[in-house]
Amino acid sequence: MPSEISWDSGVISASGTVTDAHAIRQLCRALQQSIRRDRSTEVQLDFAACEELTQAVMLPILPQIVRYREQEGVRFNLVLPNKSENLFLASLNDLFSSTNWAHFIQPERFEAVSESGDKVPVRRFMTDREMYAAVDELLRFFLRGSRISRETLQALEWSLTEIADNVLNHAQSSVGGFLQASEYGPAIEFVVADAGIGIPRSLGIDDQQEALRKAVSEGGTRDRSSNAGNGLYGSLRIAAISTGEFEMHSQGAVLSFDGQSAQEITTLDPTLLSGTSVRCAVGGFDGQLLEQALRFNGEPHQPLGDYVERTFETDSGELYYSINEHAKRDLGSRRGGARVRQELRNLLRDQDHVVLDFANVRVISSSFADEVFGRLFVDLGPRAFMSRIVLRNVDPTIDGLIDRAIVQRTKLGNPATP
């Protein structure tokens, strides 16, 4: 069912599949007219008939809502999608809480979620420290969620940091920035949004299409000689080379790239959207993404940041993984074990071994032991497992659980996790 956005007397209703750029502008129009024209101080956001909703739509809307609430005193009441026997609709209902969408719409009713295993809840950042913490959280999500090379992770780290840094340094967003990430099959996607002055005003360019075109050109926004101002240009290249997608909204202009055709820039009503949102989706690309995408002035660019080095490497370059620090909340479930196993597999793609330190860990579940160690043993083979998975400070009880898991998994084989 196509999306339909309607509003009347302070009630905004969204129904159908609310997933495209048009829905973003319609929701912005509904908010603006309800609050500015109709002078509503209480607004109901009714998603009861909504069938599908994505972060690409919600992230640009959240800064607008937070700005109206915090700076103009508007109260919002959220009506969640109907829970029914339809599992998809029930999942959509739960999504509002697990992503923190509900919290940022109506915080007095919905508490913030600190983490949600298979997704990253929306993170708001107002300072450099909050920004870097949010970026690191997304990078860990990518590392645990799918097969990804260290080089691709570096490219994502560079892109995320550049775009989020733009919010703090150029957007003049009084409510800061908002960031979220998801996975769709082999693709991973992140969205960064704010409620600032927008790219055209930031660049001092009246022609809004020209402003977005300049923003994604090499060195278009700052000094070409220093590679400054290439964040959006490089991010678009990352999406394009990986056969992913890129979409940017700012004031009245929309730039989109669908992974196949040339980028398109269109103009919509400039009064509707305050700020900028950038969606970058990286396709199932497993090649040298960093080297191919980040080339400025004809030369490859090597980012300074490296999440893996910063988080897991010792001074000697050895991979060190503290179970107590990195997997403490995963030790009781098979689902948590699957995330840790994927993380270890990705780390081992570029290193010959990893040290797993069990210091201060006294209990793990049998399902965790099987999902991590039993399956890794079968995946890698006995000789490679013994040389590449180095265990330290293991409690005798945990050691017995790991041995038992390996024996049992060897007998069962390695079918896909249910």
Side-chain angles (χ1 to χ4, degrees):
M1 176 182 172
S3 66
E4 182 177 340
I5 312 297
S6 61
W7 58 94
D8 182 51
S9 302
V11 177
I12 300 172
S13 300
S15 61
T17 55
V18 185
T19 58
D20 59 13
H22 179 69
I24 297 172
R25 301 302 173 129
Q26 284 293 90
L27 283 168
C28 286
R29 181 188 297 276
L31 286 167
Q32 188 178 85
Q33 295 197 3
S34 296
I35 296 167
R36 295 277 189 265
R37 186 193 65 186
D38 301 339
R39 301 186 181 279
S40 299
T41 57
E42 294 191 13
V43 175
Q44 178 170 292
L45 295 174
D46 186 351
F47 290 92
C50 187
E51 298 174 0
E52 186 176 357
L53 188 64
T54 64
Q55 65 179 20
V57 171
M58 284 303 296
L59 260 290
I61 303 303
L62 290 181
Q64 320 294 321
I65 291 172
V66 171
R67 181 169 54 82
Y68 283 128
R69 190 184 69 245
E70 293 183 352
Q71 297 179 7
E72 301 185 30
V74 178
R75 293 177 57 85
F76 290 91
N77 177 49
L78 174 64
V79 179
L80 294 170
N82 285 326
K83 269 196 172 182
S84 66
E85 295 179 359
N86 184 314
L87 293 178
F88 182 82
L89 293 180
S91 176
L92 182 60
N93 181 291
D94 295 338
L95 190 66
F96 271 82
S97 294
S98 63
T99 57
N100 277 339
W101 295 348
H103 169 72
F104 284 112
I105 293 171
Q106 195 175 359
E108 65 275 12
R109 177 181 165 199
F110 299 95
E111 292 186 3
V113 175
S114 60
E115 69 173 42
S116 178
D118 58 350
K119 64 181 68 68
V120 179
V122 176
R123 292 294 180 244
R124 180 184 182 183
F125 58 93
M126 302 282 289
T127 65
D128 286 340
R129 183 175 181 178
E130 291 171 347
M131 180 196 77
Y132 286 120
V135 168
D136 275 1
E137 189 173 359
L138 264 67
L139 294 171
R140 185 175 189 233
F141 168 74
F142 295 147
L143 192 64
R144 289 179 137 218
S146 59
R147 181 177 174 83
I148 188 172
S149 70
R150 183 169 179 173
E151 185 173 316
T152 298
L153 195 70
Q154 280 184 282
L156 285 165
E157 179 175 5
W158 179 88
S159 178
L160 273 166
T161 304
E162 287 283 326
I163 295 172
D165 187 65
N166 284 344
V167 174
L168 296 181
N169 288 300
H170 304 296
Q172 300 180 37
S173 176
S174 59
V175 296
F178 293 74
L179 190 156
Q180 190 181 6
S182 298
E183 288 185 314
Y184 302 97
I188 51 182
E189 173 186 295
F190 67 83
V191 182
V192 182
D194 64 68
I197 61 174
I199 290 173
R201 283 187 61 192
S202 178
L203 294 181
I205 299 176
D206 292 333
D207 185 327
Q208 297 190 15
Q209 290 191 16
E210 178 59 26
L212 265 59
R213 188 175 292 108
K214 186 175 181 62
V216 297
S217 63
E218 183 177 0
T221 56
R222 290 178 64 195
D223 182 4
R224 288 174 58 92
S225 64
S226 65
N227 289 333
N230 279 315
L232 293 171
Y233 166 74
S235 298
L236 176 58
R237 283 183 56 80
I238 288 170
I241 290 173
S242 68
T243 320
E245 297 180 356
F246 186 89
E247 182 175 288
M248 180 165 64
H249 292 254
S250 195
Q251 291 181 247
V254 181
L255 182 148
S256 59
F257 175 80
D258 64 6
Q260 301 293 333
S261 59
Q263 65 193 43
E264 296 183 1
I265 304 179
T266 55
T267 302
L268 300 173
D269 188 338
T271 66
L272 298 180
L273 179 66
S274 170
T276 299
S277 72
V278 178
R279 178 177 73 92
C280 183
V282 176
F285 183 82
D286 208 28
Q288 296 177 312
L289 182 59
L290 186 70
E291 180 180 340
Q292 293 186 44
L294 302 189
R295 299 185 69 87
F296 307 133
N297 298 322
E299 298 293 331
H301 174 68
Q302 182 61 43
L304 297 177
D306 185 344
Y307 173 76
V308 172
E309 178 182 3
R310 189 169 64 251
T311 308
F312 301 108
E313 282 191 3
T314 64
D315 291 341
S316 63
E318 184 177 53
L319 279 180
Y320 173 84
Y321 189 100
S322 168
I323 297 293
N324 189 52
E325 179 181 356
H326 300 300
K328 188 174 185 178
R329 298 186 180 183
D330 300 297
L331 301 177
S333 70
R334 182 171 297 279
R335 195 173 183 180
R339 292 194 291 267
V340 172
R341 175 169 51 84
Q342 184 62 61
E343 188 172 26
L344 295 175
R345 288 303 303 265
N346 283 329
L347 291 173
L348 285 169
R349 293 184 66 179
D350 302 293
Q351 296 282 345
D352 57 3
H353 73 278
V354 59
V355 175
L356 303 185
D357 189 350
F358 278 81
N360 300 314
V361 177
R362 297 292 176 261
V363 178
I364 65 173
S365 68
S366 298
S367 57
F368 177 88
D370 173 54
E371 193 65 34
V372 178
F373 300 101
R375 287 184 178 275
L376 278 177
F377 186 88
V378 173
D379 280 345
L380 298 174
R383 181 175 297 180
F385 180 90
M386 297 301 292
S387 63
R388 303 190 72 191
I389 305 294
V390 180
L391 305 181
R392 290 183 185 166
N393 301 315
V394 186
D395 182 274
T397 301
I398 293 176
D399 196 40
L401 280 173
I402 292 173
D403 286 345
R404 191 177 308 117
I406 289 173
V407 170
Q408 293 176 345
R409 179 54 59 182
T410 302
K411 294 177 182 177
L412 293 173
N414 223 2
T417 304

